[in-house]
Amino acid sequence: MNSPYDEIGAEYRSIRSPDIGVAELLTCVQSFNRKISILDLGCGNGYPIATTLIDYASRYVGVDSSSVLIEEFIQNVSTAKAQVACMSDIELNGEQFDLIFAFGSLFHLSPEKQKITLEKAAVAVAENGKLVFTSGDEAGTVEGNVGGHAIPHWSLSKDAYINLLQECGLQFQDLSKGSGDNLFYTFSRLR
């Protein structure tokens, strides 16, 4: 599998902010008041999010399309499971997770692949679990830049995300602006 992040490789850690996304996801994890199962979609090399959240996990699974970043993820978060796959191609085989999140990753997928990924993720959210992801709130595409590499960022509209995930049985909880001006969507599966 060829990922633009394979080319960025080891440089990614030096250009990735050590703070963006950590506080928001840590607050989410701590709200469970127990160790939880976590699926990290677009986990990258695990720094800084997985290296922070692993202490709160009974089980941690990281998925990324970059084999280079997954090799680093395994070194950085040695107790986690890791899988090289595009998020839309994941096979969860009935596994359930208390928290599934895609921080700074879902928008790298085309709208169609985002829908596939979110549908698969929604099925895997455990009872009283949460799905959290970052994306825009207007349909469209912009070109981003990571380490000098042009990388497209796609978004569905806010209503499209809400409608899709409500059709999958999740309840919309919140859309908030967090660190790095990221928009955090939160959905849950209540009893």
Side-chain angles (χ1 to χ4, degrees), residues 74-185:
I74 292 167
Q75 292 172 3
N76 293 333
V77 196
S78 61
T79 58
K81 288 186 178 179
Q83 180 182 358
V84 177
C86 178
M87 290 177 271
S88 61
D89 295 334
I90 57 171
E91 295 297 332
L92 298 172
N93 302 315
E95 286 186 85
Q96 299 276 288
F97 295 87
D98 297 306
L99 174 63
I100 299 174
F101 72 88
F103 178 81
S105 56
L106 185 68
F107 53 70
H108 291 317
L109 300 178
S110 68
E112 191 55 41
K113 286 188 175 188
Q114 285 189 36
K115 291 175 186 174
I116 292 167
T117 301
L118 290 170
E119 288 168 349
K120 288 181 178 186
V123 170
V125 174
E127 187 174 299
N128 297 315
K130 297 178 184 180
L131 170 63
V132 177
F133 62 91
T134 55
S135 195
D137 58 356
E138 296 180 12
T141 184
V142 297
E143 189 150 303
N145 186 303
V146 178
H149 296 265
I151 298 180
H153 296 160
W154 285 280
S155 179
L156 306 180
S157 70
K158 172 186 172 184
D159 288 342
Y161 286 125
I162 292 171
N163 292 337
L164 173 68
L165 289 165
Q166 285 179 335
E167 288 174 11
C168 294
L170 298 183
Q171 293 183 340
F172 174 67
Q173 297 296 308
D174 189 40
L175 174 60
S176 60
K177 186 174 272 194
S179 57
D181 288 332
N182 286 285
L183 291 177
F184 285 79
Y185 287 83

